[in-house]
Amino acid sequence: MGGSRRNDNDRRRVAGIIENPDVVVAEAERRRCIESVKAYNLQLKAWHEAEPCPSMGVACIAGFGWMEVYCGGCRQVASIDLAALNVHPLTKVVNIAARLRCERCRGNGPTAKILELKATPPETVADRYRRRWQAANGGESA
């Protein structure tokens, strides 16, 4: 008289999806944002310029909270923490880079050029030294 075990599991799964539609929509939006930022990074690597550019909100939802920029005046690469900037979530990342000025060039250098949006912060000198030491010593910790 009762339904099969398979149907009960299906009902529970569907009921869970229906009860948590916000979770399903948020996960789908996050996946879409990640794909958008990854496509933007690929375009930057291939053509050094990319359009359309993701907004701050899309980059933050995707988990890409760091932007690597290049100053053509002094040839310096810097990493910018997007979470530390006070800008509207709909602001395009290109517009943020256009407002950046190089400290080394004292603000007189060319406009900063975006190299990549990253999910992880830049590697510190101590981390780089530790990684190289571990590689040279067979993975032993310092």
Side-chain angles (χ1 to χ4, degrees):
M1 288 218 250
S4 70
R5 180 173 270 185
R6 180 170 180 240
N7 288 338
D8 290 342
N9 288 337
D10 288 344
R11 285 189 190 121
R12 280 191 220 114
R13 182 182 57 80
V14 170
I17 291 173
I18 292 171
E19 289 173 10
N20 302 321
D22 294 336
V23 174
V24 174
V25 170
E27 184 59 34
E29 181 181 2
R30 180 171 163 72
R31 274 188 262 122
R32 214 171 30 250
C33 291
I34 290 171
E35 292 303 317
S36 172
V37 173
K38 284 183 178 179
Y40 179 72
N41 281 338
L42 285 174
Q43 288 178 353
L44 281 176
K45 288 179 183 175
W47 301 308
H48 304 291
E49 290 182 10
E51 195 63 39
C53 175
S55 66
M56 269 286 286
V58 169
C60 289
I61 289 171
F64 287 77
W66 293 87
M67 176 172 58
E68 248 184 26
V69 293
Y70 171 75
C71 173
C74 62
R75 299 183 184 150
Q76 181 178 358
V77 176
S79 293
I80 309 295
D81 183 9
L82 295 178
L85 301 176
N86 185 16
V87 295
H88 193 275
L90 296 178
T91 305
K92 299 287 183 183
V93 176
V94 170
N95 295 342
I96 295 169
R99 288 190 268 166
L100 296 174
R101 294 290 175 241
C102 179
E103 292 176 1
R104 215 168 168 190
C105 294
R106 297 190 178 127
N108 296 325
T111 304
K113 184 176 180 179
I114 300 174
L115 296 178
E116 182 180 18
L117 294 175
K118 295 178 125 186
T120 57
E123 185 178 42
T124 64
V125 174
D127 290 340
R128 189 177 317 127
Y129 174 77
R130 188 176 299 113
R131 181 177 45 82
R132 288 180 183 169
W133 192 87
Q134 287 175 348
N137 294 315
E140 299 173 11
S141 61

